[in-house]
Amino acid sequence: MRLSHLLASLSASLSFAALLPRQTTTPSTEFVGYLISTFSDPTPAVQWHLSTSNSPSAFTFLNNGSPILTSNVGTGGVRGVFLTSDGRREKWVLIATDLDINAEGFSWDEVTRRGSRGLVVWESEGLTGWGEGRLVTVETPTAGMAWAPSAVWDDDTSQFFIFWSSRHYAESDTEHTGTAMLDRIRYATTTDFISFSAPQDYLALEDTPLIDQEFQYLGQPDHWARFLKNETVNQVYQETMTQGLFSTEWTRVEGYVRPESPREGTAVFKDNVEEGLYHMLLDDYTEYVPFETRDILGGEWTESEYDGFPSGLKHGSVTPLTQEEYDAVWEKYGN
């Protein structure tokens, strides 16, 4: 599948060095657990769930079941929570969609036409001691919203690439009352989450509205999988690439991940213990359902047989933790 509106200079010059911020090239045995950053529909704030062992099947709801962070900017609510870090895992950043579906007079039509064009950002030096949240505008006035952010750290340029979903209107339609263009994936770069480059299209298809992009690094430089939600059929599909995130050709895995029912909000992560095993969380519009595969290139995902996986979790991200990180999170937020 061909990328639309891609800058040729980026395609030629960028070299991503095996870095999704929540994945590293260090041996998997260095990771001792998983941290889920998420929210729930009744409580649109940052919630953390820490695995009770080095298994993705059972988790403890941290902070006595209360959010670790609540937004006091923008709409006052967050969704699509994503935890990221630099290559040294020293600077940690939480980014999230600025959206509260529980707000008085809420309307999906309104928030896609005249919703927030910013992302909510928190920063920390070590997964604890988070600063005040701030709202950073990443989109242009033609956008109706900025949703489902994710981030990729690039060692070569020492900056983050931030991706999100957006819907745009004609420049002449300043009130966004007309027909919108199809939803697309956008991106910008930043070194400090304060100043951002001008937003660009990353993936804009002529016939398919797209949201909820998720990347997964596949263990070799420039080898990736990505997952996208087709908003026409409300299904998630998978693509793979061996030439880097900004190459122009991705290989589509046939069909959809779960064609029998609607899904969105993909979170994918590599198993800390078993080589070749990957996990996926898919939001069924009520909560996350876990899946797994031992053939990620083939895209054959089966539902995981977990007894203790927490209920009510929504679109978020999963971060593998070192022992030092795990201990710090538990000491600060453990029950």
Side-chain angles (χ1 to χ4, degrees):
M1 187 171 292
R2 186 169 296 277
L3 298 180
S4 177
H5 304 291
L6 182 65
L7 295 179
S9 60
L10 281 172
S11 179
S13 64
L14 287 178
S15 174
F16 287 90
L19 287 171
L20 260 181
R22 61 193 188 290
Q23 304 289 339
T24 77
T25 55
T26 55
S28 60
T29 53
E30 292 188 9
F31 296 118
V32 302
Y34 307 90
L35 179 66
I36 300 178
S37 301
T38 186
F39 72 99
S40 64
D41 281 336
T43 308
V46 179
Q47 302 170 22
W48 271 2
H49 296 255
L50 185 66
S51 63
T52 55
S53 64
N54 206 3
S55 167
S57 62
F59 290 79
T60 298
F61 196 162
L62 295 180
N63 205 31
N64 291 311
S66 296
I68 68 157
L69 294 168
T70 301
S71 175
N72 295 314
V73 297
T75 66
V78 294
R79 301 171 71 86
V81 180
F82 192 93
L83 176 63
T84 186
S85 72
D86 62 16
R88 295 178 301 277
R89 301 174 72 91
E90 293 175 352
K91 176 180 180 178
W92 293 86
V93 184
L94 274 161
I95 53 178
T97 305
D98 176 32
L99 180 61
D100 181 7
I101 68 170
N102 301 314
E104 184 177 356
F106 174 83
S107 154
W108 283 111
D109 182 68
E110 177 65 21
V111 297
T112 55
R113 291 181 181 274
R114 290 167 286 274
S116 177
R117 294 185 290 113
L119 304 175
V120 183
V121 175
W122 290 272
E123 295 185 45
S124 169
E125 293 300 321
L127 286 173
T128 58
W130 295 91
E132 291 294 320
R134 62 179 182 271
L135 185 66
V136 295
T137 300
V138 295
E139 263 297 1
T140 63
T142 59
M145 85 283 192
W147 285 1
S150 64
V152 174
W153 168 260
D154 178 36
D155 260 345
D156 291 346
T157 58
S158 297
Q159 64 183 346
F160 292 91
F161 282 71
I162 312 303
F163 300 85
W164 64 90
S165 312
S166 191
R167 181 177 299 180
H168 284 256
Y169 296 80
E171 288 189 11
S172 59
D173 184 8
T174 57
E175 298 299 319
H176 299 178
T177 57
T179 300
M181 305 174 197
L182 294 183
D183 296 347
R184 62 198 56 208
I185 307 301
R186 301 268 280 175
Y187 79 98
T189 62
T190 184
T191 59
D192 56 13
F193 286 86
I194 297 174
S195 298
F196 291 78
S197 66
Q200 305 276 348
D201 281 356
Y202 175 66
L203 182 57
L205 303 181
E206 295 181 356
D207 58 355
T208 307
L210 300 172
I211 65 169
D212 291 0
Q213 178 180 256
E214 169 83 346
F215 290 117
Q216 174 60 51
Y217 174 63
L218 298 180
Q220 299 182 58
D222 296 328
H223 286 56
W224 299 84
R226 73 179 178 193
F227 303 83
L228 295 140
K229 181 192 177 187
N230 177 337
E231 277 280 82
T232 298
V233 297
N234 293 322
Q235 293 288 345
V236 171
Y237 68 87
Q238 176 182 339
E239 296 178 322
T240 58
M241 166 58 68
T242 61
Q243 301 298 321
L245 294 182
F246 282 84
S247 296
T248 58
E249 297 291 337
W250 288 71
T251 300
R252 168 85 181 257
V253 175
E254 185 177 355
Y256 295 92
V257 175
R258 303 299 295 174
E260 75 280 2
S261 56
R263 293 288 191 271
E264 64 179 3
T266 311
V268 183
F269 57 103
K270 185 177 183 293
D271 193 85
N272 287 344
V273 178
E274 182 180 336
E275 188 64 31
L277 175 61
Y278 290 84
H279 304 277
M280 173 190 289
L281 304 180
L282 281 177
D283 191 334
D284 69 357
Y285 289 76
T286 63
E287 63 183 3
Y288 260 149
V289 179
F291 297 86
E292 62 189 58
T293 185
R294 289 174 174 81
D295 178 20
I296 193 167
L297 294 180
E300 293 292 330
W301 296 88
T302 58
E303 188 167 344
S304 301
E305 297 180 358
Y306 297 155
D307 292 329
F309 192 79
S311 61
L313 280 63
K314 302 285 289 181
H315 188 179
S317 61
V318 182
T319 305
L321 298 182
T322 65
Q323 188 70 64
E324 181 179 1
E325 293 161 354
Y326 187 101
D327 291 345
V329 168
W330 179 256
E331 182 177 356
K332 176 73 173 183
Y333 300 107
N335 299 327

